Amino acid sequence: MIQAPATPPSSRRRHDREIISLAVPAFGALVAEPLFVMVDSAIVGHLGTPQLAGLAVAAALLTTAVSIFVFLAYATTAAVARRVGAGDLASAIRQGMDGIWLALLLGIAVIAVALPTAPWLVDVFGASDTAAPYATTYLRISSLGIPAMLVVMAATGVLRGLQDTRTPLYVAIGGFAANGALNAGLVYGAGLGIAGSAWGTVIAQVSMAVAYLIVVVRGARRHGASLRPDAAGIRASAQAGVPLLVRTLSLRAVLMIATAVAARLGDTEIAAHQIILSLWSLMAFALDAIAIAGQAIIGRYLGADDAKGAREACRRMVQWGIVSGVVFGALIVLARPLFVPLFTSDRSVQDTLIPALLVVALSQPIAGVVFVLDGVLMGAGDGRHLAWAMLVTLAVFAPVALLVPVIGGGLTTLWWAMALMMVVRMVTLWLRTRSGKWVITGASR
């Protein structure tokens, strides 16, 4: 992917140790988010197909509302890692605190918008008359957990930048366990139905945010970093995140278009799409574990003025991404008879999702390259290019996806359009990485 001399075996082993030490814990933490949705899907799916269809629409809207602010984690990781590489821990944590305050403010703003507009958003998304009430209920309740999730993102970015991915793993395990227990108890034990699933997730999310804040506040006090909000710092964090916000909005637009098209294909198709999207997200977050390692490692190398180390680490991580994608694709194919019945007993939904699931499996090696290079460029602070690249991808994907109901093929054709989207992303990221223009050293970009 990069024009450079071959990496010596000793350097490869060193990079492998760094990647493994950060990526393995990051994997556990990252998969917690799609696992939250998967647990909700599995529990709600047995209430009925309309409930699952409602969850599909609400989950897509909620994921969009949270994920468009993923720059709170990504930009913070890169900025903190650069300062760690430069040896300035106090400044690194102060940068992270600005991100946490920004996260809280943005979360409150999202709630103010989501609560009154929930029925309209569900209607715009194309939910059927039978699914819409369930989608509205789930959306309104779950939106209350958005500030907590944004705080979790920002605090996670601080810890990743400090080269700590173990603490997020422990918090994620606790949150996942709590979410599963609360969902089962509230949905079936308390008889709250889909509302119980939403409340269980909110409680788990708030608990995770509290745990993160305890860790970050302790670190700030230990290194003498201020905890008070700083208007200039919050504004700078917001400005630094704008390119990544554009990039993420474009990516979320892709996923929203896909879900909207699936919704218009019918309840069976949107229910199947929700299951596939949950699994696709799980694979994406698993591959993104290497990208998270890339953000932290690349940022640290560039902050320490080690351009050669950054290039070598990038090359090695791409190799890891390809191999991981092949493995995940094979697992999807081999394990599908085991996990598909866990999500739904509706035979028509099962028959609809299996061909599309095979498309997802075939595209996993491409996804491995995409997520790794995405993480490398984020770690380098190359947000402007990421924004333009994703806009190009959206421009290619949108017309193809919107033609799916016209050209036929149903859900499988829609997921071939998703595979095309990943190919376009890979090409744009590869060209940028190959150019070497992302390699800019120093404590700040």
Side-chain angles (χ1 to χ4, degrees):
M1 292 294 169
I2 305 173
Q3 291 180 332
T7 306
S10 60
S11 294
R12 286 201 300 270
R13 288 191 293 270
R14 173 168 53 86
H15 291 310
D16 286 346
R17 287 193 297 270
E18 287 184 324
I19 293 168
I20 291 171
S21 66
L22 291 172
V24 171
F27 170 80
L30 283 168
V31 297
E33 183 173 336
L35 282 174
F36 270 43
V37 179
M38 288 176 67
V39 168
D40 289 359
S41 299
I43 292 174
V44 172
H46 290 284
L47 293 174
T49 297
Q51 288 90 334
L52 183 58
L55 173 64
V57 173
L61 287 165
L62 286 162
T63 303
T64 299
V66 173
S67 296
I68 59 175
F69 300 115
V70 74
F71 70 84
L72 292 166
Y74 292 160
T76 301
T77 297
V80 171
R82 277 184 178 266
R83 285 162 176 77
V84 168
D88 189 354
L89 288 178
S91 176
I93 296 177
R94 176 63 260 181
Q95 179 90 21
M97 289 304 305
D98 292 335
I100 290 173
W101 281 110
L102 176 62
L104 185 60
L105 293 174
L106 290 173
I108 294 171
V110 172
I111 287 180
V113 173
L115 287 179
T117 61
W120 176 79
L121 290 170
V122 168
D123 183 62
V124 167
F125 231 67
S128 67
D129 291 340
T130 56
Y134 298 110
T136 301
T137 296
Y138 192 92
L139 178 60
R140 278 182 164 158
I141 296 172
S142 292
S143 65
L144 300 176
I146 289 177
M149 288 308 297
L150 298 190
V151 168
V152 165
M153 282 186 178
T156 300
V158 177
L159 296 179
R160 289 173 182 167
L162 293 171
Q163 317 295 295
D164 175 12
T165 56
R166 291 184 179 275
T167 299
L169 171 61
Y170 300 145
V171 175
I173 291 173
F176 174 68
N179 182 64
L182 287 166
N183 268 260
L186 294 175
V187 171
Y188 297 115
L192 296 180
I194 196 169
S197 177
W199 278 117
T201 301
V202 169
I203 295 170
Q205 289 166 344
V206 172
S207 300
M208 291 173 67
V210 170
Y212 271 113
L213 287 175
I214 290 173
V215 174
V216 174
V217 168
R218 285 177 178 172
R221 288 174 174 169
R222 183 165 58 250
H223 294 286
S226 174
L227 298 173
R228 291 179 298 177
D230 176 68
I234 294 173
R235 186 165 54 251
S237 294
Q239 291 171 346
V242 168
L244 289 180
L245 176 61
V246 173
R247 170 258 182 200
T248 305
L249 282 171
S250 301
L251 178 57
R252 295 312 309 176
V254 165
L255 299 179
M256 289 179 70
I257 288 171
T259 300
V261 170
R264 283 164 173 77
L265 293 174
D267 279 4
T268 298
E269 285 76 9
I270 185 60
H273 178 75
Q274 169 61 18
I275 294 171
I276 296 173
L277 192 60
S278 297
L279 292 166
W280 185 82
S281 298
L282 175 61
M283 295 297 101
F285 277 93
L287 292 170
D288 208 27
I290 304 172
I292 294 302
Q295 292 175 30
I297 293 171
I298 295 297
R300 192 188 75 236
Y301 274 125
L302 295 178
D305 296 319
D306 188 354
K308 180 174 179 290
R311 290 189 179 94
E312 290 178 350
C314 174
R315 188 182 310 108
R316 190 58 174 165
M317 282 182 283
V318 168
Q319 294 169 355
W320 275 74
I322 294 172
V323 172
S324 298
V326 171
V327 171
F328 290 143
L331 286 174
I332 291 173
V333 173
L334 296 174
R336 70 185 189 280
L338 300 177
F339 62 74
V340 169
L342 295 177
F343 292 99
T344 178
S345 56
D346 189 324
R347 187 65 186 178
S348 63
V349 175
Q350 293 181 8
D351 292 340
T352 300
L353 71 86
I354 288 177
L357 196 60
L358 295 178
V359 177
V360 174
L362 290 172
S363 65
Q364 286 307 294
I366 297 171
V369 176
V370 168
F371 285 104
V372 167
L373 292 183
D374 209 38
V376 166
L377 296 182
M378 285 182 190
D382 200 12
R384 188 178 297 274
H385 175 78
L386 290 171
W388 281 110
M390 200 61 228
L391 285 171
V392 170
T393 302
L394 174 60
V396 173
F397 171 79
V400 175
L402 293 173
L403 282 173
V404 168
V406 177
I407 63 179
L411 193 64
T412 301
T413 302
L414 176 61
W415 276 94
W416 275 118
M418 291 287 286
L420 171 65
M421 178 270 295
M422 296 301 290
V423 171
V424 175
R425 289 187 70 191
M426 183 178 68
V427 171
T428 57
L429 295 172
W430 175 76
L431 290 174
R432 180 63 171 184
T433 308
R434 186 172 181 270
S435 74
K437 294 180 181 179
W438 56 278
V439 183
I440 299 174
T441 59
S444 61
R445 183 179 171 87

